[in-house]
Amino acid sequence: MAEMHIQAKLVNLLKQDKIQLWNPPYTTGYNQAGQQPLQQLAVNYAAIVCFSVSEVASALESIRSQAVKRGMGNKTYRETFVATLELLLPKDGKKDVKKKNYLETKLDVLAQDIMARIAEQYGLKYIKLILNGKTLTPEKRLDEQDVKNNSKIMVLRVSEPERKKQMVEEEEKKKTQDQSLQRTQKGFQILSERDGTDDPATTPFLEIADQKGNPLKIPHREKKALILAMGFHEKGRALMKRKQYDAALCHLLQADDQFGTCGSVLLSTVDNYAVLQLDIVWCYRALEALSCLDDGKQRLQRAEDCFLKCYGEQQQRLMQIKGNTGREEVLFLRLYLLQSLLAYLDGNEHQATQKLMRVEDLYGRLCLDPGKMTGLMGLGFSEQEARLGLRACHGNVDEAALHITHRRQEREEMKQQERERRRRRMEGLATLRELGYSKRDAARALHQADGDMDRAYGILLESTQAESAAVTNHNTELPIDQSKVEQLLYLGFEPEAAEAALRLTGGDVQEATQLLLDNQGVLPPELLSPSPPSSVSEEPSTSSESAGRTHIHTRSGSQGEDPMDVDLVNEVLEDIPRHEEDYLDLTLEEESEVIAQMKSYLHRNCTPSS
């Protein structure tokens, strides 16, 4: 880390002084170092950057040799189209920690070919390639995935099978990271398809809930994407707790991709996306992959912007929702700590120091008295409850005990409400079936009506009438204005979709356009066929009561229809935390180590010597 800091400071000085190390006198005609000019430059800069002459000389030579190699690589690329890629290898895969690793290749080859070369050359059996925070697809060409000459490619080691002799090969394969990702995605896809119309006592499903566990109403298509995104995030966080940062980063990047498809206004009012960005950069730090400096900076900026929108400039919105801000301060501690680290690596010592001062202030407030923790745990509260309660109440034991007790009561009341909803739902289902409706139709109507049997009955009646009307009017549809169709075709929509959208919106071009955009140009079957009207709003709730954070809320149940589905669902459910504020429950042990590391770098004596 110190080497990156020295180089960043020297690069800034070289730019200011307009010195090009790849040109004479610093580089000879044979691309060798001009020893005397470099040594004199090191003497001049040592006093400025507060490092010894030998350290500065070594850093200058590293900068020079990299610049020369880059220039040679650019010349080779212009003449032969062979690109030079810098490989950021796992720390335990490097033979020489200070030496940079490069790979020459054409860019019209598949990523899997490069992966095979890297695996063979460096003895890495299971790997993924990351470019700017995005995982390269093995089956696609490099140039199709924005890989360019001089790109920095992060080589991420994924979980190898447990090397136990008693395990058969198939069992070993199941432990590889690719299969873990696939199983996670499949498990959450199964859960995202379930809308609660089946009996939750036998078929578990997930709801998106606010920070207090209250279910939020979100359009089904967005809900599916959110469940996948949040599912990958929770799996990644579970792996982070086990210190399996390689595997965690793979899942977190998948979550990032899924969040990118959501586009919901909900994301601007909750902190999930911001926390994900922090977690990704925290994994970069743990993997010593902070050469991904630009990507890390951008992610931390997105996190800070999201926190600002979600909590308010002075966290007033958070105070209004939750009554305190103590627990969320751990997120800002981690944010400022990572910002300090990246500023240091970028050569900005002043900014790094300023951020670290804010970190130390927060750390002093958030570190808890062990005696107070023991006291609360002696009252029957869990370690997690005690830690969160003390931070919420700024260390006041009595207030923390009342706060934890109140939260327990709230959760118990919600469970009772859920049990009562389930009882009413089962009674309503039985009544509607007695009236002649199928179990499936009755369950869907009750789901749309939030369990209200009278409203569900009305929905079923309207559905029957709508189907009859559709049959009657099937052959008497009014002609569509072709000029309106052409307007939609001009916007790039397909003719069939354009006509269907105009029919559904009564010929309103603006509404038809919005309908097509909402469905990415392809109308789903449920819109094209008669469906029961619903008086229940499909807009995501963004009231002050639902803002702050969303989490996946598990509804009870233990069995599905397919045994394989049961295994997958149970597997992913294991990683969903039972406490809605689990993401705030940081012990600060890792943060303490990084703070000490940063202080050792920033507080070193400015006494350069030759």
Side-chain angles (χ1 to χ4, degrees):
M1 189 185 296
E3 291 82 358
M4 290 181 65
H5 173 67
I6 300 173
Q7 289 184 27
K9 295 187 78 168
L10 290 173
V11 166
N12 289 333
L13 288 172
L14 292 168
K15 287 180 179 177
Q16 290 174 17
D17 297 340
K18 298 181 179 179
I19 294 176
Q20 298 177 334
L21 294 182
W22 57 91
N23 286 330
Y26 307 104
T27 297
T28 68
Y30 297 99
N31 290 327
Q32 298 299 310
Q35 295 295 343
Q36 189 171 349
L38 277 175
Q39 184 65 20
Q40 184 58 51
L41 195 60
V43 172
N44 296 341
Y45 282 162
I48 300 175
V49 298
C50 297
F51 284 93
S52 68
V53 173
S54 61
E55 288 175 308
V56 174
S58 176
L60 285 172
E61 171 54 21
S62 180
I63 295 170
R64 186 200 71 81
S65 61
Q66 288 175 44
V68 170
K69 184 167 184 61
R70 189 182 184 94
M72 294 171 61
N74 290 339
K75 182 174 182 294
T76 300
Y77 183 68
R78 287 194 300 269
E79 294 174 353
T80 65
F81 296 105
V82 173
T84 300
L85 307 179
E86 182 179 342
L87 301 180
L88 310 177
L89 297 172
K91 56 185 178 182
D92 57 352
K94 300 176 183 177
K95 295 179 181 178
D96 183 347
V97 177
K98 294 184 178 180
K99 181 182 177 182
K100 291 184 178 291
N101 297 277
Y102 298 94
L103 183 76
E104 292 186 346
T105 178
K106 291 198 171 183
L107 299 178
D108 58 356
V109 301
L110 299 179
Q112 63 188 12
D113 296 338
I114 299 303
M115 293 170 69
R117 286 179 58 188
I118 294 171
E120 182 179 356
Q121 186 171 343
Y122 297 100
L124 301 171
K125 190 174 181 182
Y126 302 102
I127 60 173
K128 284 184 177 295
L129 303 183
I130 310 294
L131 173 67
N132 297 327
K134 299 292 183 183
T135 303
L136 297 186
T137 303
E139 296 78 16
K140 289 186 177 180
R141 294 180 1 174
L142 296 177
D143 52 6
E144 292 175 340
Q145 303 184 74
D146 208 31
V147 178
K148 297 179 172 61
N149 184 39
N150 296 317
S151 285
K152 292 183 178 182
I153 304 292
M154 180 180 177
V155 181
L156 194 63
R157 189 199 302 271
V158 296
S159 302
E160 288 192 46
E162 295 282 345
R163 298 193 180 279
K164 296 180 179 179
K165 293 181 180 179
Q166 68 269 28
M167 295 180 67
V168 297
E169 184 178 356
E170 187 60 30
E171 289 174 331
E172 287 184 327
K173 288 183 179 179
K174 288 181 180 178
K175 294 185 181 292
T176 64
Q177 193 55 48
D178 277 342
Q179 289 194 342
S180 174
L181 286 169
Q182 292 167 7
R183 291 177 68 83
T184 300
Q185 179 157 352
K186 179 63 176 175
F188 280 108
Q189 279 178 340
I190 292 168
L191 288 165
S192 70
E193 293 290 346
R194 297 176 180 174
D195 57 9
T197 56
D198 293 314
D199 185 359
T202 57
T203 308
F205 71 103
L206 299 179
E207 285 184 333
I208 305 295
D210 64 15
Q211 77 285 349
K212 291 184 178 180
N214 299 306
L216 299 178
K217 294 199 174 300
I218 302 172
H220 182 60
R221 184 165 53 87
E222 283 193 34
K223 180 181 175 181
K224 287 174 60 178
L226 272 173
I227 285 178
L228 279 173
M230 294 167 68
F232 273 117
H233 190 184
E234 293 298 352
K235 178 69 174 180
R237 290 185 61 249
L239 291 165
M240 287 175 69
K241 289 179 181 179
R242 301 170 201 149
K243 302 291 191 292
Q244 298 174 13
Y245 290 107
D246 291 289
L249 184 56
C250 289
H251 286 80
L252 296 176
L253 293 175
Q254 286 280 358
D256 193 49
D257 288 342
Q258 290 294 333
F259 269 122
T261 67
C262 292
S264 171
V265 294
L266 188 68
L267 291 185
S268 65
T269 59
V270 295
D271 62 10
N272 301 68
Y273 188 63
V275 175
L276 173 63
Q277 303 309 307
L278 283 185
D279 288 341
I280 290 174
V281 182
W282 194 255
C283 283
Y284 284 169
R285 176 210 63 81
L287 294 168
E288 297 184 7
L290 288 168
S291 300
C292 307
L293 194 60
D294 291 337
D295 185 57
K297 281 182 182 177
Q298 292 169 14
R299 290 187 185 279
L300 293 183
Q301 188 59 56
R302 287 199 289 270
E304 191 166 22
D305 292 343
C306 187
F307 283 139
L308 187 65
K309 290 179 184 177
C310 178
Y311 298 156
E313 291 188 11
Q314 302 298 323
Q315 299 186 30
Q316 68 275 12
R317 190 161 176 261
L318 183 63
M319 180 66 74
Q320 177 187 3
I321 298 164
K322 303 181 76 170
N324 61 76
T325 61
R327 289 159 294 184
E328 278 71 16
E329 285 184 332
V330 295
L331 301 177
F332 289 94
L333 184 150
R334 185 169 277 193
L335 172 67
Y336 300 148
L337 182 55
L338 288 170
Q339 287 177 333
S340 174
L341 180 60
L342 293 190
Y344 178 78
L345 293 175
D346 205 26
N348 192 333
E349 208 163 318
H350 176 72
Q351 184 181 355
T353 302
Q354 293 298 311
K355 290 290 184 182
L356 190 61
M357 288 173 61
R358 299 182 72 174
V359 170
E360 291 186 281
D361 178 58
L362 284 171
Y363 184 78
R365 298 207 305 267
L366 294 170
C367 271
L368 301 173
D369 184 337
K372 293 180 178 180
M373 285 285 293
T374 302
L376 282 173
M377 291 167 67
L379 295 175
F381 301 126
S382 69
E383 181 181 348
Q384 183 180 64
E385 287 177 318
R387 189 159 37 239
L388 291 170
L390 282 171
R391 285 178 181 159
C393 301
H394 304 288
N396 187 304
V397 176
D398 293 334
E399 289 183 7
L402 288 173
H403 171 81
I404 298 168
T405 301
H406 179 65
R407 289 295 294 124
R408 281 186 171 185
Q409 290 172 348
E410 284 184 334
R411 282 194 289 271
E412 184 56 36
E413 287 173 4
M414 286 191 60
K415 288 180 181 178
Q416 291 178 359
Q417 291 170 4
E418 172 61 24
R419 285 194 289 267
E420 178 60 21
R421 278 197 298 268
R422 186 183 304 167
R423 184 190 64 78
R424 291 199 307 268
R425 179 186 177 281
M426 296 307 293
E427 289 180 354
L429 188 62
T431 301
L432 292 173
R433 293 198 68 187
E434 287 176 2
L435 293 173
Y437 295 103
S438 69
K439 181 179 178 180
R440 179 183 177 83
D441 289 344
R444 287 187 179 279
L446 279 167
H447 182 69
Q448 286 180 275
D450 287 338
D452 187 310
M453 205 277 291
D454 292 334
R455 284 175 56 203
Y457 181 58
I459 289 171
L460 288 167
L461 284 176
E462 290 179 11
S463 174
T464 303
Q465 293 168 0
E467 288 175 3
S468 299
V471 172
T472 303
N473 298 325
H474 181 70
N475 296 318
T476 58
E477 289 180 346
L478 296 175
I480 298 296
D481 188 334
Q482 285 303 309
S483 64
K484 294 180 179 180
V485 176
E486 289 174 5
Q487 289 181 53
L488 295 177
L489 295 180
Y490 180 74
L491 295 175
F493 299 115
E494 295 295 327
E496 282 188 21
E499 291 183 9
L502 285 168
R503 286 196 180 92
L504 288 169
T505 57
D508 188 308
V509 175
Q510 188 171 354
E511 287 189 16
T513 302
Q514 190 60 51
L515 180 64
L516 289 165
L517 288 173
D518 288 344
N519 291 277
Q520 300 179 347
V522 181
L523 298 183
E526 57 265 28
L527 286 179
L528 299 175
S529 59
S531 58
S534 172
S535 59
V536 182
S537 171
E538 284 288 320
E539 291 300 314
S541 169
T542 55
S543 68
S544 62
E545 286 299 316
S546 66
R549 169 110 182 143
T550 61
H551 73 280
I552 302 177
H553 193 80
T554 310
R555 295 304 184 198
S556 62
S558 60
Q559 296 184 9
E561 296 177 359
D562 189 315
M564 181 62 73
D565 288 357
V566 174
D567 290 342
L568 290 170
V569 167
N570 289 340
E571 187 176 307
V572 298
L573 288 179
E574 287 178 2
D575 290 315
I576 297 177
R578 296 296 177 257
H579 198 292
E580 65 276 5
E581 291 181 332
D582 180 79
Y583 72 110
L584 300 175
D585 183 34
L586 302 181
T587 64
L588 300 184
E589 292 176 1
E590 286 185 280
E591 286 78 2
S592 175
E593 293 174 3
V594 180
I595 290 171
Q597 186 182 37
M598 288 300 301
K599 289 172 72 173
S600 71
Y601 285 128
L602 291 170
H603 295 174
R604 65 177 295 165
N605 293 328
C606 183
T607 54
S609 61
S610 57

